[in-house]
Each structure stands twice: as C-alpha cells, then as structure tokens.
Amino acid sequence: QVQLVESGGGLVQAGGSLRLSCAASGRTFSIYAMGWFRQAPGKDREFVAAIRWSGGSTYYPDSVKGRFTISRDNAKNTVYLQMNSLKPEDTAVYYCAAEAGGRWTPSVAVTYDYWGQGTQVTVSS
C-alpha cells in the first residue's frame, strides 16, 4: 500500500501562486508515476499534471500548460505542483494520485492506484 498526504492548498487572489506538496509513504518503491487531479463542485475530476517517477517525464493538459509545473523529489518521496498565474476557474479540490503497476495513462484517473484526501485551492477574482 501507498499512502499519500497533500498539503499547501489555500486561498489566493487571481494571478497569484501556490505550491502543493504530496508526500508518499509505505511501499513507495512500487510507484511508477504520480499525478494531480482536481474536482470543482458539480464537475468531473479533471487531470492537471503527471510525472514518471523514473526519468521525470511530465504531462499537462492545455488548460494548465505554461502555468503549472509538476516536479518530484525522489529522496523525499514527494511530488510538487507549482501553480502560477492562478485563475478563478482553477478553484477546486486538488488530489494527488500514484500509480504502481506500470500500466498507466497520465490523464485517466482510473489508471491510478492510490489517492490522497485532497486539498482545497480557492482563487478569488
């Protein structure tokens, strides 16, 4: 099992920045990739970013490309999401996810095996 704990959410004005962190524990040696998703009230869960644990390849949807950056610290078993130029439409609960089977599609939530509890990000206009 892998446990994921997110932190770093909060309230920020439009145009501001936040950095989310996700610390993994447990069978971290099994992690193949990690990702961030978000879910706003009344909407489906949306892919935000993903990273391969080995090699560091990153993936983003067009909605956040150029504004958000995902990175990882293998020694700390932690993945980060740096969010810049935030917009009110970025308001959502942000979830960290991990995949441990190697059969993973970055943007598809059901291909991830483990999930954190989520952290709220609110962007005011």
Side-chain angles (χ1 to χ4, degrees):
Q1 294 288 325
V2 174
Q3 294 78 42
L4 304 173
V5 178
E6 302 102 331
S7 60
L11 173 64
V12 64
Q13 288 189 331
S17 299
L18 278 177
R19 189 177 82 153
L20 305 183
S21 299
C22 175
S25 61
R27 296 172 60 89
T28 57
F29 61 87
S30 67
I31 294 175
Y32 178 80
M34 294 186 72
W36 288 95
F37 288 75
R38 66 187 181 188
Q39 189 165 20
K43 295 189 176 181
D44 292 335
R45 192 163 293 193
E46 177 188 15
F47 170 64
V48 175
I51 187 167
R52 289 184 189 270
W53 207 243
S54 176
S57 298
T58 58
Y59 308 83
Y60 304 94
D62 289 342
S63 58
V64 307
K65 197 172 293 183
R67 299 190 299 124
F68 290 10
T69 303
I70 189 171
S71 62
R72 89 265 192 244
D73 185 329
N74 296 55
K76 295 182 178 180
N77 292 319
T78 299
V79 65
Y80 304 97
L81 184 68
Q82 177 66 44
M83 305 186 293
N84 299 328
S85 302
L86 283 161
K87 306 175 182 180
E89 52 264 44
D90 293 318
T91 295
V93 176
Y94 283 69
Y95 297 90
C96 173
E99 196 278 345
R103 295 183 294 272
W104 157 77
T105 301
S107 62
V108 180
V110 295
T111 65
Y112 290 78
D113 302 297
Y114 304 100
W115 291 84
Q117 81 287 353
T119 185
Q120 176 71 46
V121 171
T122 303
V123 184
S124 63
S125 58

